[in-house]
Amino acid sequence: QVHLVESGGGLVKPGGSLRLSCAASGFTFSDFFMSWIRQAPGKGPEFLSYINGRSNDIYYADSVKGRFTISRDNAKNSLYLQMSSLRVDDTAIFYCARLGNGWSPGDSWGQGTLVTVSS
Amino acid sequence: QTVVTQEPSLTVSPGGTVTLTCASSTGAVTGDYHPSWFQQKPGQSPRSLIYNARFLHSWTPARFSGSLLGGKAALTLSAVQSDDEADYYCLLFYSGAWVFGGGTRLTVL
C-alpha cells in the first residue's frame, strides 16, 4: 500500500534553512503529482506546494513563494522541500501528500515532520 | 485572497444526521472547484474521505456522502457514530491552487 515518510524536521532559528524529505513507496512515484502541506499548532492545514511527475508543473502558495523550493528525485522515490528565510510563523507539522488520480488531492499522507522556528 | 469558509463547530447526536458545508469567497462552489473532504482526529494526519465533490474512497464508510448544495460543497454524515467525532476540512481548487477551509469541529453528544 502507499507509504509516505517525512524526515528532516527540527529546531531552526529565524532566517535559517532546512530541507525536508519524503520517502515514498507502494506506488509508481513518477506517475503522481506530489505535494507539501503544513499545519500550524491548533490550526487547519495549509496547502503549500505541488509538483508533477516530470517536475515541469510546480505551484507555490503565496505564503512560501520565493522562500521554499519543491523538488523530486523519481529514481529515489523521494520528494523534497528546501526551506529558507524561515520565520517563526513557519512553525508547523509538514506533511507530504500524494495527489491522487481523478482530482483526489491528498489521497495519502505521511505522518508529518515537525519544524520549529524559534530563537 | 481567497477564503474558504466552514462552520467552526457542529454537534450531533449518535445515530443522527449532520451536514457540513464549505463556501468560497469567490462565489458559488461548482464542480470546477473539485471539492475534497478530510477527517482529522487528534494526533493523526488528515485522511481523505471524499474527492471531486461526491466520490468516496474505498476506505470511506458509506454513511459519508458529498454533494453540491445551495452554492456550497457539502459533507453529510448519516447514522453518526461516536467515532466520527473529529475535525473536518474541505479543500477547493482555484485554477492551479488548492485552498483548505478553516475546518469544522464535529462533536458527537
Side-chain angles (χ1 to χ4, degrees):
Chain A
Q1 71 276 23
V2 176
H3 198 46
L4 301 170
V5 179
E6 301 91 340
S7 61
L11 175 64
V12 60
K13 288 183 167 46
S17 299
L18 209 56
R19 188 195 196 207
L20 306 183
S21 300
C22 171
S25 60
F27 64 104
T28 304
F29 183 69
S30 58
D31 284 351
F32 288 85
F33 279 72
M34 296 295 296
S35 66
W36 287 99
I37 297 166
R38 71 181 176 188
Q39 189 168 25
K43 304 293 186 183
E46 179 188 9
F47 201 101
L48 297 182
S49 180
Y50 66 68
I51 184 170
N52 72 337
R54 298 174 68 178
S55 302
N56 58 0
D57 184 1
I58 290 174
Y59 159 83
Y60 297 102
D62 288 343
S63 58
V64 303
K65 198 174 296 181
R67 300 190 299 124
F68 291 9
T69 302
I70 192 171
S71 63
R72 64 191 294 161
D73 185 336
N74 290 337
K76 294 183 178 180
N77 289 340
S78 293
L79 177 72
Y80 306 101
L81 186 68
Q82 179 67 47
M83 305 185 293
S84 61
S85 303
L86 283 162
R87 310 188 294 230
V88 171
D89 63 357
D90 290 318
T91 295
I93 296 174
F94 283 71
Y95 296 101
C96 160
R98 191 179 78 166
L99 276 66
N101 294 325
W103 293 99
S104 178
D107 69 344
S108 295
W109 296 59
Q111 85 291 347
T113 187
L114 176 62
V115 173
T116 303
V117 185
S118 174
S119 54
Chain B
Q1 181 181 348
T2 301
V3 177
V4 178
T5 301
Q6 300 180 241
E7 298 87 359
S9 64
L10 290 170
T11 299
V12 61
S13 300
T17 297
V18 65
T19 296
L20 289 64
T21 67
C22 175
S24 172
S25 61
T26 59
V29 176
T30 67
D32 291 339
Y33 288 79
H34 305 287
S36 296
W37 289 93
F38 299 82
Q39 179 191 64
Q40 187 177 31
K41 296 182 178 179
Q44 297 183 13
S45 304
R47 180 180 70 145
S48 180
L49 295 173
I50 302 278
Y51 64 98
N52 216 6
R54 60 184 180 87
F55 293 93
L56 276 65
H57 292 287
S58 58
W59 55 82
T60 305
R63 63 180 183 275
F64 290 85
S65 63
S67 63
L68 297 174
L69 196 65
K72 299 179 183 180
L75 173 70
T76 299
L77 287 71
S78 305
V80 171
Q81 302 176 3
S82 57
D83 188 54
D84 296 332
E85 187 162 285
D87 293 328
Y88 291 84
Y89 297 96
C90 67
L91 178 64
L92 301 180
F93 180 73
Y94 294 86
S95 301
W98 293 94
V99 180
F100 280 97
T104 296
R105 175 151 296 179
L106 182 67
T107 300
V108 180
L109 201 58

